[in-house]
Amino acid sequence: MSSSRLGRVWFEGRALPWLLLAPAGAIVFGLILYPVGRTFWLSFRQAGLTFLTRGESRFVGLDNYADLVTDPVLRPVFLTTAGFGFACVAATMAVGLAVALLLNQRFRGRAALGVLVLLPWAVPRVAAGVVWRWMFHDQYGLVNWLLPGFEGYSWFN
C-alpha cells in the first residue's frame, strides 16, 4: 500500500470524524460548557456592579455558598419554586392527557378540535417560513438588498 493511500485511510478513519465534529463541539463549548464553567468560577468571587464595566472581583472561596445556606429566605423561595414547577408540569400533563383522550373518542367536531390543538404548534413554523421567503425574495428581499452584487438573485429557484 502506498504512503499516499495510507495517509488517506488514516485521514478518513481518524482525522475526518474529529474535523466533522469540531463545529458541533465548538457550539456546545460556546453555548454550554463555557457559561457553566464561568458561572462556577464566578460563584467563588465577590463582584459588584463594577465587575460589569471593569471586571473587578475578589476571591471569597466558599463564603457565597455559606451565605446562601444560612439565608432565611432560601427555604421559602425554594419551596415556592418547586411547587410552581410541579404544578405547571402536572397541569400540562393533565390537560394534554385530557385532550388526547378526548381526541381519541368519536364525536362531531373532532377534526376541528384536532386542527385547533395543532394550530399553536404549526403557526410559528409557517410564519417563520413566510418571513424567510420574504427575506430571500429576488426583487425586494432584505438579503439581496444587504449583499452587494446580489440584486435580483433568485435564491429559491
Side-chain angles (χ1 to χ4, degrees), residues 51-119:
F51 177 74
L52 298 174
T53 57
R54 290 180 267 184
E56 296 174 359
S57 65
R58 63 183 177 84
F59 182 77
V60 293
L62 295 174
D63 288 348
N64 288 335
Y65 290 102
D67 291 343
L68 182 66
V69 171
T70 59
D71 190 358
V73 179
L74 176 68
R75 185 165 190 244
V77 166
F78 178 77
L79 291 175
T80 301
T81 303
F84 181 75
F86 179 77
C88 286
V89 170
T92 302
M93 289 182 69
V95 169
L97 181 63
V99 170
L101 289 173
L102 181 64
L103 286 174
N104 199 31
Q105 304 298 316
R106 295 203 178 271
F107 61 92
R108 216 168 118 189
R110 176 180 165 198
L113 181 61
V115 168
L116 288 175
V117 167
L118 286 178
L119 273 178

Side-chain angles (χ1 to χ4, degrees), residues 122-138 140-144 155-156:
V123 167
R125 287 157 180 81
V126 172
V130 170
V131 168
W132 277 95
R133 292 280 298 185
W134 284 345
M135 284 175 42
F136 287 98
H137 194 271
D138 57 348
Y140 57 87
L142 180 68
V143 174
N144 287 350
W155 293 91
F156 294 117

Side-chain angles (χ1 to χ4, degrees), residues 18-35:
W18 290 106
L19 288 173
L20 294 174
L21 285 173
I27 291 171
V28 167
F29 177 78
L31 295 178
I32 297 172
L33 297 177
Y34 175 74

